[in-house]
Amino acid sequence: EVQLVESGGSLVQPGGSLKLSCVASGFTFSNYWMDWVRQTPGKSLEWIGEINTDGSKTNYAPSIKDRFTISRDNAKSTLYLQMSNVKSDDTAIYYCLQFAYWGQGTLVTVSS
Amino acid sequence: DVVLTQTPVSLSVTLGDQASISCRSSQSLEYSDGYTYLEWYLQKPGQSPQLLIYEVSNRFSGVPDRFIGSGSGTDFTLKISRVEPEDLGVYYCFQATHDPNTFGAGTKLELK
C-alpha cells in the first residue's frame, strides 16, 4: 500500500525558515517524480513544485521560486521542502504527492 | 500561467441525478507528446484530494464508471451519472501540461 507521511509543519514567524519532510513507502520511491501542493485556509489548492527521480531537476511555481527548495533522499525514501523567508501567504496545509497518491498533509502557520 | 476556470462554483443535486462540471483552460492542454494532462480530483470533507480522472478521460484504479471525463484542447467536462452520497465534496480540475501546473478553483457538489 502506498503511503506518504508528511511532517515538520509548525508555527513560524514571518521571514523564518522551516523544513518539511515526506516519508514514502509501498512503492519504489526512486522511480517516481514527486510533487508538493498546498491548500490555503481559503481552501484553494496550489501546486508548489516537483522534482525528478534523481533530484537533478526541479520545477517551481512563481509564487515560491527562490524561497522554497525541493529535494529528495532516495536512500531514505524521503522528500523535502525547505521553506525560507516565509510570508503570511504561505500559511497552508502542505501535501506531498506521487501522481494519484497524497499524504495527509502538514500544517504550516506563518504568524508573529 | 495557465488559468483553469471551473463552472459552476457550486452545484446542488438530488441523489440519483446527473451532475456536470466544466473546466476551461486559458491555453490548449495538449502537450507536444500528444497527451493532454488534465486531471480531476475530489476532496471530501476532512480528507486529502483523491484522483478520479487522468489524461482527460482515464478513470484511476477503483473509480466507479459513473465518473466520466471528456474534452480536448481547452474545454473539459466531468460528468457524474447517478450521484451517490459518497460523491459529495469539492471537485478540482488540474493541468500538468504547462509549468507551473495549476488547479481550478473548485466546484462544490452538495445535496439539494
Side-chain angles (χ1 to χ4, degrees):
Chain A
E1 180 194 3
V2 172
Q3 281 202 320
L4 297 167
V5 179
E6 302 95 337
S7 62
S10 69
L11 174 65
V12 57
Q13 292 191 337
S17 298
L18 198 62
K19 189 170 187 177
L20 308 183
S21 301
C22 169
V23 176
S25 60
F27 65 101
T28 304
F29 181 73
S30 57
N31 287 352
Y32 292 88
W33 286 62
M34 297 292 296
D35 292 58
W36 285 98
V37 167
R38 68 185 180 185
Q39 187 162 36
T40 63
K43 302 298 186 183
S44 62
L45 292 167
E46 181 184 12
W47 178 84
I48 294 173
E50 63 186 356
I51 187 167
N52 71 345
T53 55
D54 66 4
S56 61
K57 181 176 170 57
T58 50
N59 294 309
Y60 297 100
S63 61
I64 57 85
K65 199 171 181 181
D66 299 329
R67 298 190 300 120
F68 292 7
T69 302
I70 298 173
S71 62
R72 66 192 296 162
D73 184 335
N74 286 343
K76 295 182 178 179
S77 296
T78 302
L79 177 72
Y80 301 102
L81 179 66
Q82 176 68 54
M83 307 169 64
S84 306
N85 189 23
V86 296
K87 308 173 183 179
S88 58
D89 288 350
D90 297 323
T91 294
I93 298 171
Y94 286 75
Y95 297 98
C96 66
L97 57 146
Q98 181 264 96
F99 183 49
Y101 302 99
W102 295 54
Q104 83 290 346
T106 188
L107 176 62
V108 173
T109 304
V110 181
S111 176
S112 55
Chain B
D1 298 2
V2 172
V3 176
L4 298 179
T5 302
Q6 281 186 241
T7 54
V9 172
S10 64
L11 189 52
S12 296
V13 298
T14 301
L15 295 179
D17 279 357
Q18 175 175 282
S20 182
I21 301 170
S22 169
C23 177
R24 289 193 169 150
S25 174
S26 60
Q27 299 178 37
S28 173
L29 297 185
E30 184 175 349
Y31 191 56
S32 54
D33 62 4
Y35 287 90
T36 299
Y37 296 100
L38 187 282
E39 299 166 7
W40 290 95
Y41 287 87
L42 164 61
Q43 186 173 30
K44 300 179 184 180
Q47 296 185 17
S48 303
Q50 58 188 85
L51 178 66
L52 300 173
I53 302 286
Y54 64 96
E55 291 169 14
V56 180
S57 59
N58 295 296
R59 275 185 294 274
F60 183 62
S61 174
V63 174
D65 60 8
R66 64 178 181 275
F67 290 91
I68 301 169
S70 63
S72 63
T74 61
D75 207 345
F76 304 92
T77 301
L78 176 69
K79 283 189 167 62
I80 312 160
S81 60
R82 307 181 309 278
V83 170
E84 298 193 6
E86 60 265 31
D87 301 338
L88 303 180
V90 182
Y91 289 80
Y92 297 92
C93 56
F94 171 75
Q95 67 83 21
T97 296
H98 300 284
D99 281 328
N101 300 169
T102 48
F103 285 91
T107 295
K108 186 173 185 178
L109 184 66
E110 52 194 1
L111 283 180
K112 195 174 288 185

